[in-house]
Amino acid sequence: MRSGPLPEMKQDLLSLDLPGLEDWVSSRGYPAFRGRQIFQWFHARHVFLPEEMLNLPKPLRSQLAQCLLPFPIEPETSLLARDGTRKFRFRLADGGAVESVLIPGRNRATLCVSTQLGCRMGCAFCRTAGMGWVRHLVPGEILGQLYAVGRWLGPQGPPLTHVVFMGMGEPLDNLENTLCALRILTHPLGGCLSTRRITVSTVGLPDAMGRLLREVPVSLTVSLNAADDPTRSRLMPVNRRVPLAELCAALKELPLAPRRRITVAYVLIRGVNDRPEDARRLARLLHGIRCKVNLIPLNPFPGSDLERPEESVVVAFQEGLRSRGISAHVRFSRGEDILAACGQLADARTPGLAPGERTPDVPR
Ligand code: SAH
């Protein structure tokens, strides 16, 4: 018979929030503050090697070393666009790949992170949808994108000041893991990032949006993309489950902090949703919703025949909203030449489920 402690199982400790790590140390007979120390090493100092966690007792360090899985996300390639945007591709432990996009600014740097490997929303204008859905990312894989890019930038590089959840996947379809990553990122002992510097972009799942804003009051972007149900259902299949009236009613009810507004994203597609009457309908739809509109001229991608409208059409659409009292800006997304712009991320080599292949058990 063997004696002594059983060998420890490998565990995804990077995905545990603070109470999770406190429980983990308690179950091994250590006081809860040891969990806080590990949390700080991971999420405030980005140290993942137990032997470097010098304030921990040696036996805890070696237990940690036995349990800790390798860092979950390894940069494979990074591509620099003409406009300075850089796209990172990460290989995950199970062989899949996700992408993150670094958007440098003058005194800031924004990272656009992915929340799923693939996506099951099936939006007609989005390249990620074409790869289908493979799986959710766990919190350690979502945060790992930030930590790995932070390491790549190095101590001389700009700090990552802003995070947008707008990469591959629908963050609110992966609500628990997204919320956990957000709790860690905003925790005073963790990433300590202000909720004002975080934006979550969603197709608009009413219950999940409410829960998100109650638990972590980040900035919310809702991808509307059409102002009538037939067009939106054609572009975004999720609209068949949550039609516009229901979505807009939910937006009016959201627990928004005073003076904060929702951003409505509207991808402009030539001949599909870019007519003056679409602008008129959109203005009517948004009446009474505290929001501003970001107009995104479509980023085309190989294999899709959807096109970007002429600039004059984009300007006319914007004017159509402004003249009706809706604040509207045109946002050209960046990194288009390396397929890093909105809606262009995908791992062409990972075969996923086709969007319609499996009835999605997606939350509302
Ligand atoms: N699933 C989330 C986040 C990923 S998409 C969402 O839908 O919001 C991020 C943004 O890119 C969304 O506003 C989406 O409407 C936009 N987008 C998707 N494909 C695009 C494309 N081909 N060109 C321009 N914007 C696109």
Side-chain angles (χ1 to χ4, degrees):
M1 261 217 321
R2 61 177 308 145
S3 61
L6 290 170
E8 294 267 13
M9 299 274 286
K10 292 286 182 200
Q11 284 177 44
D12 179 18
L13 301 178
L14 203 58
S15 290
L16 297 183
D17 58 9
L18 182 55
L21 274 174
E22 288 173 341
D23 286 350
W24 186 84
V25 292
S26 303
S27 68
R28 280 159 183 77
Y30 293 97
F33 80 89
R34 296 294 181 198
R36 285 201 288 285
Q37 289 176 316
I38 299 173
F39 187 79
Q40 284 175 297
W41 282 115
F42 286 164
H43 301 293
R45 308 175 74 167
H46 306 164
V47 168
F48 308 103
L49 293 175
E51 72 255 30
E52 292 176 6
M53 302 180 182
L54 294 177
N55 57 2
L56 300 182
K58 267 215 169 109
L60 178 56
R61 269 187 262 163
S62 65
Q63 261 175 315
L64 202 52
Q66 281 180 45
C67 294
L68 199 57
L69 285 164
F71 195 69
I73 190 156
E74 288 300 331
E76 191 174 70
T77 53
S78 96
L79 274 178
L80 183 63
R82 281 191 292 271
D83 61 14
T85 303
R86 186 178 285 273
K87 178 167 82 167
F88 294 84
R89 164 174 294 236
F90 294 100
R91 197 48 66 184
L92 304 174
D94 65 358
V98 287
E99 297 185 325
S100 319
V101 180
L102 175 65
I103 307 146
R106 222 179 313 149
N107 294 311
R108 60 191 271 169
T110 303
L111 192 71
C112 173
V113 297
S114 295
T115 53
Q116 294 180 316
L117 185 47
C119 186
R120 49 186 176 181
M121 295 298 114
C123 300
F125 48 83
C126 178
R127 183 163 173 254
T128 307
M131 70 178 275
W133 187 74
V134 182
R135 66 172 174 88
H136 295 314
L137 299 189
V138 295
E141 292 169 326
I142 299 173
L143 296 167
Q145 298 166 60
L146 280 158
Y147 302 163
V149 171
R151 197 182 312 169
W152 184 91
L153 285 166
Q156 308 304 329
L160 291 173
T161 53
H162 293 73
V163 183
V164 296
F165 286 63
M166 294 189 188
M168 292 160 67
E170 166 53 44
L172 301 191
D173 180 30
N174 184 12
L175 183 62
E176 295 308 328
N177 291 334
T178 296
L179 279 175
C180 179
L182 288 170
R183 280 194 301 272
I184 295 173
L185 198 56
T186 54
H187 197 287
L189 298 178
C192 204
L193 195 64
S194 157
T195 52
R196 295 183 171 276
R197 294 176 170 214
I198 303 174
T199 301
V200 172
S201 184
T202 174
V203 295
L205 306 171
D207 297 348
M209 287 190 296
R211 198 170 146 212
L212 170 74
L213 293 190
R214 275 190 299 276
E215 291 191 21
V216 197
V218 292
S219 302
L220 187 71
T221 295
V222 177
S223 304
L224 212 61
N225 298 335
D228 64 88
D229 280 316
T231 309
R232 191 163 192 267
S233 294
R234 199 148 39 89
L235 292 175
M236 303 178 69
V238 68
N239 193 68
R240 295 178 203 141
R241 281 188 297 123
V242 184
L244 280 167
E246 192 182 328
L247 175 54
C248 291
L251 294 182
K252 286 182 187 150
E253 298 294 307
L254 281 180
L256 280 184
R259 291 209 302 276
R260 290 186 85 172
R261 292 188 290 178
I262 304 163
T263 300
V264 167
Y266 193 100
V267 178
L268 282 164
I269 309 172
R270 183 200 292 247
V272 175
N273 62 0
D274 63 346
R275 295 158 305 175
E277 72 189 80
D278 294 313
R280 184 168 46 77
R281 275 211 194 101
L282 181 60
R284 191 163 354 120
L285 204 59
L286 296 179
H287 185 77
I289 298 176
R290 271 160 58 197
C291 68
K292 60 181 165 52
V293 177
N294 277 350
L295 297 170
I296 315 167
L298 177 87
N299 300 305
F301 55 89
S304 159
D305 47 16
L306 298 175
E307 291 171 336
R308 175 182 292 184
E310 298 290 330
E311 202 175 322
S312 59
V313 173
V314 173
V315 172
F317 197 96
Q318 179 184 27
E319 194 39 45
L321 293 176
R322 287 190 167 168
S323 64
R324 293 177 176 90
I326 307 270
S327 146
H329 297 272
V330 180
R331 299 266 184 250
F332 281 97
S333 45
R334 299 175 53 179
E336 205 192 325
D337 53 322
I338 55 163
L339 290 178
C342 295
Q344 293 187 317
L345 304 181
D347 176 16
R349 281 175 301 170
T350 303
L353 291 170
E357 212 171 296
R358 176 169 173 270
T359 316
D361 47 347
V362 179
R364 275 176 22 91

